[in-house]
């Protein structure tokens, strides 16, 4: 998970890895919460979020599944493959609500203070906060966490915290962060997502090494049992210090959460149908349409439900590595998009389940449409000579076809683009006559289900003279190759936020383009992009933010860094009918972490002989 709200604590990565972070509301005194723009929705006397059931019963085991394997219980470094779900173990200074564009409420930090110019932030820790081993959480632990993540953690921490010039303890329970600029308006929220690690548990260990020693955290669950490659089980911390905090009421209602690992997606689907685990988020359209039919579904024992959401759609497509030929040629990047027949794939492979991706921020007001006007045009005007002229006169849209399968005109357009850029067919392969580059590359995948989407695309590419092969590798090899940018083309996805901010540097900035392990997978390296990201980070209002995001989106669209694929406007869940759920689903989507075991439904399933012992 990769997005805010749905599986915030189910991920193997800390929350800061998964969220698009955003700017805080300027505060003049300590507050229980901080919002991007305006005031937080929930006042200081709130008792719980609206999208939870404060009376939800606790108990039972939630069994989930994951495909792949793991070899580490350290989720904060790029080395190794961390187990899924480790976010359950760690508390952060603050937590985000799921029914606001972006607001944070106190967890380890009971209050936050930042001046009107946002040049610093002070976090006051809850004196009740404890690690699982009973040690109190102090300012020293916060400073240790900040320093170790910035110096030895995954690269993104270094970029997220780059504008912090000083971090000091004012007393045992108060930390002040001073910033090198007052123009990075989201920094208090970025720091609010800081996972707090126990200094005493790491002092005699090397942080940058993988480990299978169960971690000491402060969150609602701890690692109870595990076997790499088979399962990991988390159990509720019985004396969890934060159980009664408003941000935790109605959340994490299961006594245990266990992930069983499967090597193959097909096997994982069959295991769900056999009752081996409880819940699956189904991302394969064919499975959603056909895999779950049968008696259990007909009887209402196995439920399929698409939960509508209003969050920003993720950016998804075939990503081209611009660090190497032939993708360092923008004509190639533009032309290859004409070979992808989304309409055919949606009709024949996806049961018309998807919408075409055209923006980096689809399904939201952040998506750039039309041509730049007004404030956005004023923002882009200084860079006119560095941008394609079409950006100012044409609306970007991915290539479309008259009807599914009618790709000929698109291929002719692609050939025209290539020929104008000096590409010609030689010995059956499209070749750049001046440089000698050939249109030869590999599409690297880690999910076999993507082959059925990719192979028809490859057939169209070959009609353009492209020499393309597809290779599917295991998760470990794929991760290593992605981290080192050892690929030509991949099918990838970036989770986006309702309030974009510093994470955009991790995705697109020149500083991250050659940093192994960064999310700048395509190698975007543009002073214009960097300047627009700065405008996003410095935005004083929601209106300014939307304008700057439109400008960035438009520049990325006309960079042709990916072949846009598709997205869903609902979360497709399949689950055994043993759960109770809150009445309200927040805009960011439903979360199984707000569900609970309904005793009557659970008893009915057991009477039907469906579920294995929990």
């Amino acid at each position: 998970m990769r997005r805010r709200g749905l599986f915030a604590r189910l991920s193997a990565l800390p929350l800061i890895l998964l969220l698009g972070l955003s700017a805080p509301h300027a505060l003049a005194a300590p507050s229980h919460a901080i919002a991007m723009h305006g005031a937080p929705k929930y006042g200081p006397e709130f008792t719980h979020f609206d999208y939870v059931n404060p009376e939800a019963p606790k108990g039972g085991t939630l069994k989930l599944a994951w495909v792949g394997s793991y070899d580490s219980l350290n989720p904060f470094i790029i080395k190794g493959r961390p187990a899924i779900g480790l976010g359950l173990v760690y508390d952060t200074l603050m937590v985000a609500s799921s029914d606001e564009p972006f607001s944070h409420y106190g967890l380890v930090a009971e209050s936050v203070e930042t001046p009107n110019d946002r040049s610093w932030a002070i976090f006051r820790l809850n004196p009740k906060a404890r690690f699982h081993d009973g040690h109190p959480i102090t300012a020293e632990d916060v400073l240790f966490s900040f320093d170790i993540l910035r110096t030895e953690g995954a690269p993104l921490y270094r970029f997220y915290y780059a504008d912090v010039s000083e971090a000091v303890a004012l007393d045992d329970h108060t930390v002040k962060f001073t910033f090198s600029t007052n123009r990075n308006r989201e920094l208090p929220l970025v720091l609010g997502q800081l996972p707090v690690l126990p200094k005493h548990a790491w002092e005699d260990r090397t942080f940058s090494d993988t480990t299978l020693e169960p971690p000491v955290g402060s969150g609602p669950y701890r690692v109870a049992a595990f076997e790499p490659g088979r399962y990991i089980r988390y159990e509720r911390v019985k004396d969890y210090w934060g159980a009664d905090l408003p941000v935790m009421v109605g959340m994490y209602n299961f006594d245990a959460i266990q992930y069983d690992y499967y090597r193959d997606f097909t096997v994982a689907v069959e295991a769900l149908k056999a009752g081996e685990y409880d819940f699956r988020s189904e991302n394969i359209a064919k499975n959603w349409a056909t895999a779950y039919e049968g008696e259990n579904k007909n009887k209402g024992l196995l439920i399929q439900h698409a939960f509508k959401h209003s969050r920003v759609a993720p950016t998804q497509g075939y990503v081209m590595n611009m660090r190497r030929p032939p993708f360092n040629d923008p004509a190639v990047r533009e032309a290859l998009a004409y070979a992808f027949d989304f309409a055919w794939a949606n009709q024949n492979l996806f049961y018309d389940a998807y919408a075409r991706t055209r923006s980096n921020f689809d399904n939201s007001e952040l998506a750039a449409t039309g041509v730049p006007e007004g404030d956005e045009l004023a923002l882009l005007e200084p860079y006119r000579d560095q941008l394609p002229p079409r950006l100012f006169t044409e609306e970007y849209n991915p290539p479309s076809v008259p009807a599914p399968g009618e790709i000929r005109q698109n291929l002719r357009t692609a050939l025209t683009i290539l020929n104008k850029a000096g590409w010609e067919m030689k010995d059956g392969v499209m070749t750049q006559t001046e440089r000698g580059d050939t249109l030869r590359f590999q599409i690297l995948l880690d999910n076999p289900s993507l082959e059925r989407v990719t192979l028809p695309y490859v057939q169209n590419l070959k009609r353009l003279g492209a020499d393309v092969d597809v290779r599917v590798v295991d998760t470990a090899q794929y991760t290593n190759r992605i981290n080192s940018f050892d690929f030509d083309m991949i099918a990838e996805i970036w989770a986006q936020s309702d309030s974009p901010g510093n994470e955009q540097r991790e995705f697109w900035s020149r500083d991250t383009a050659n940093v192994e392990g960064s999310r700048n997978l395509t190698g975007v390296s543009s002073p214009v992009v960097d300047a627009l990201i700065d405008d996003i980070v410095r935005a004083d209002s929601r209106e300014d933010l939307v304008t700057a995001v439109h400008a960035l989106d438009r520049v990325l669209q006309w960079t042709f860094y990916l072949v846009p694929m598709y997205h869903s406007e609902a979360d497709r869940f399949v689950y055994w009918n043993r759960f109770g759920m809150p009445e309200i689903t927040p805009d960011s989507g439903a979360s199984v972490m707000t569900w609970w075991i309904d005793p009557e439904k659970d008893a009915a399933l057991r009477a039907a002989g469906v579920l294995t012992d929990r």
Side-chain angles (χ1 to χ4, degrees):
M1 260 45 171
R2 284 209 173 171
R3 57 189 182 278
R4 185 157 77 92
L6 180 58
F7 287 119
R9 282 189 177 270
L10 294 185
S11 169
L13 301 174
L15 294 180
I16 195 170
L17 298 181
L18 306 181
L19 310 185
L21 303 179
S22 50
H25 175 56
L27 300 171
S31 173
H32 72 295
I34 191 168
M36 177 181 177
H37 299 117
K41 174 182 176 179
Y42 298 95
E45 304 304 320
F46 90 107
T47 57
H48 59 84
F49 293 128
D50 289 345
Y51 50 85
V52 304
N53 174 11
E55 305 301 324
K58 306 290 186 183
T61 295
L62 172 67
K63 289 195 74 175
L64 303 168
W66 199 252
V67 173
S69 186
Y70 69 91
D71 58 12
S72 178
L73 299 181
N74 182 353
F76 303 109
I77 59 176
I78 64 171
K79 187 185 297 185
R81 290 162 290 159
I84 188 68
L86 285 166
L88 294 162
V89 176
Y90 296 97
D91 278 334
T92 49
L93 289 174
M94 307 187 83
V95 293
S97 65
S98 295
D99 55 354
E100 300 173 80
F102 200 55
S103 294
H104 272 171
Y105 295 81
L107 183 55
V108 172
E110 64 180 3
S111 71
V112 60
E113 177 183 358
T114 187
N116 289 333
D117 71 354
R118 301 185 183 184
S119 58
W120 50 262
I122 293 175
F123 294 91
R124 291 180 173 85
L125 308 186
N126 191 321
K128 297 179 181 179
R130 294 288 187 276
F131 291 109
H132 296 155
D133 59 5
H135 278 70
I137 299 178
T138 68
E140 191 175 21
D141 295 301
V142 175
L143 294 180
F144 167 78
S145 303
F146 173 76
D147 288 335
I148 201 73
L149 290 172
R150 184 168 60 169
T151 57
E152 299 186 39
L156 66 87
Y157 293 110
R158 187 162 67 254
F159 295 108
Y160 280 175
Y161 305 150
D163 288 336
V164 179
S165 59
E166 184 180 44
V168 297
L170 303 183
D171 58 44
D172 286 348
H173 289 89
T174 309
V175 178
K176 180 178 182 180
F177 296 93
T178 302
F179 309 144
S180 59
T181 175
N182 62 1
R183 302 299 292 167
N184 189 337
R185 301 187 61 80
E186 70 171 4
L187 264 182
L189 280 175
V190 172
L191 291 164
Q193 289 290 341
L194 178 72
V196 183
L197 312 179
K199 180 179 179 181
H200 65 276
W202 283 100
E203 282 184 315
D204 298 325
R205 300 163 58 196
T206 302
F207 186 79
S208 58
D209 287 346
T210 60
T211 179
L212 287 173
E213 181 177 341
V216 176
S218 60
Y221 293 86
R222 58 162 52 99
V223 176
F226 64 94
E227 184 176 337
R230 292 194 60 193
Y231 75 94
I232 185 166
R233 182 179 180 86
Y234 302 92
E235 291 185 354
R236 182 199 308 284
V237 177
K238 292 184 173 56
D239 57 350
Y240 172 49
W241 73 272
D244 298 326
L245 293 178
V247 295
M248 289 294 168
V249 170
M251 301 287 293
Y252 312 116
N253 299 312
F254 307 103
D255 283 345
I257 299 173
Q258 179 168 320
Y259 288 89
D260 291 333
Y261 275 77
Y262 295 87
R263 297 286 183 181
D264 181 85
F265 287 91
T266 301
V267 175
V269 168
E270 294 303 314
L272 175 68
K273 292 161 63 176
E276 296 295 327
Y277 63 98
D278 299 314
F279 168 98
R280 174 177 173 81
S281 179
E282 183 52 76
N283 297 317
I284 300 175
K286 182 179 180 181
N287 287 347
W288 180 256
T290 63
Y292 301 101
E293 298 299 325
E295 184 178 359
N296 286 326
K297 180 182 175 181
N298 295 337
K299 289 181 177 180
L301 301 178
L302 185 66
I303 305 295
Q304 278 184 266
H305 187 77
F307 290 82
K308 283 286 188 179
H309 62 75
S310 301
R311 66 177 180 272
V312 181
T315 303
Q316 180 170 334
Y318 289 107
V319 175
M320 292 169 276
N321 188 351
M322 297 191 297
R323 302 172 184 85
R324 56 172 66 174
F327 299 126
N328 55 350
D329 186 334
V332 170
R333 302 197 301 271
E334 180 181 5
L336 295 194
Y338 283 87
F340 181 63
D341 189 345
F342 165 75
W344 182 90
N346 202 33
Q347 181 184 83
N348 291 279
L349 302 178
F350 304 143
Y351 300 84
D352 291 319
Y354 291 121
R356 182 72 191 273
T357 295
R358 61 163 303 279
S359 164
N360 295 277
F361 305 93
D362 269 326
N363 200 41
S364 78
E365 64 175 344
L366 300 170
T369 57
V371 297
E373 298 175 338
D375 290 342
E376 185 194 349
L377 179 59
L379 205 58
L380 291 168
E381 191 65 48
Y383 313 111
R384 183 181 284 269
D385 62 347
Q386 302 175 59
L387 296 170
R390 288 181 293 171
L391 181 149
F392 294 93
T393 59
E394 299 177 28
E395 179 182 59
Y396 170 83
N397 280 292
S400 60
V401 295
E406 296 185 14
I407 195 74
R408 287 186 179 182
Q409 182 56 50
N410 277 24
L411 296 180
R412 283 195 289 267
T413 301
L415 286 171
T416 299
I417 293 170
L418 290 169
N419 292 157
K420 286 183 178 180
W423 290 80
E424 296 179 358
M425 194 78 73
K426 290 186 178 181
D427 299 324
V429 178
M430 186 63 67
T431 304
Q432 216 291 333
T433 54
E434 184 176 328
R435 299 191 303 268
D437 297 344
T438 57
L439 199 54
R440 181 176 284 114
F441 59 92
Q442 180 184 85
I443 302 177
L444 183 70
L445 304 173
D446 68 337
N447 183 345
S449 70
L450 283 173
E451 280 190 291
R452 68 192 190 100
V453 184
T454 302
L455 292 178
Y457 178 45
V458 169
Q459 292 305 309
N460 290 335
L461 289 172
K462 289 183 176 181
R463 294 168 67 181
L464 292 175
D467 182 3
V468 188
D469 72 276
V470 178
R471 185 178 181 192
V472 182
V473 298
D474 61 43
T475 303
Q477 184 179 166
Y478 185 83
T479 299
N480 290 335
R481 291 187 62 176
I482 295 306
N483 283 341
S484 61
F485 309 127
D486 180 20
F487 63 89
D488 298 324
M489 178 184 280
I490 54 176
E492 264 296 328
I493 185 169
W494 287 266
Q496 295 285 8
S497 164
D498 292 324
S499 298
N502 276 285
E503 83 289 343
Q504 300 300 312
R505 289 176 173 151
E506 173 73 5
F507 296 166
W508 322 116
S509 77
R510 286 180 293 174
D511 288 342
T512 62
N514 294 304
V515 176
E516 290 195 4
S518 85
R519 290 289 292 162
N520 191 344
L521 300 177
T522 191
V524 172
S525 182
S526 162
V528 178
V529 168
D530 287 359
L532 294 174
I533 293 173
D534 287 343
D535 289 327
I536 290 171
V537 171
R538 294 195 302 256
D540 292 321
S541 66
R542 179 69 182 181
E543 292 75 15
D544 289 347
L545 177 74
V546 171
T547 297
V549 173
H550 282 173
L552 174 66
D553 187 29
R554 201 177 304 277
V555 171
L556 292 173
Q557 287 174 329
W558 288 99
T559 301
F560 307 114
Y561 75 94
L562 89 168
V563 177
M565 293 174 74
Y566 42 81
H567 61 273
S568 174
E569 296 172 348
D571 295 316
R572 299 181 303 213
F573 293 168
V574 187
Y575 52 91
W576 288 101
N577 191 13
R578 64 191 299 249
F579 299 106
M581 304 174 193
E583 295 180 0
I584 296 175
T585 298
D587 288 345
S588 65
S591 169
V592 72
M593 288 297 102
T594 65
W595 298 5
W596 62 91
I597 301 296
D598 182 301
E600 292 185 4
K601 293 179 178 179
D602 189 62
L605 280 177
R606 294 182 186 280
V610 172
L611 295 182
T612 58
D613 183 43
R614 292 291 188 266

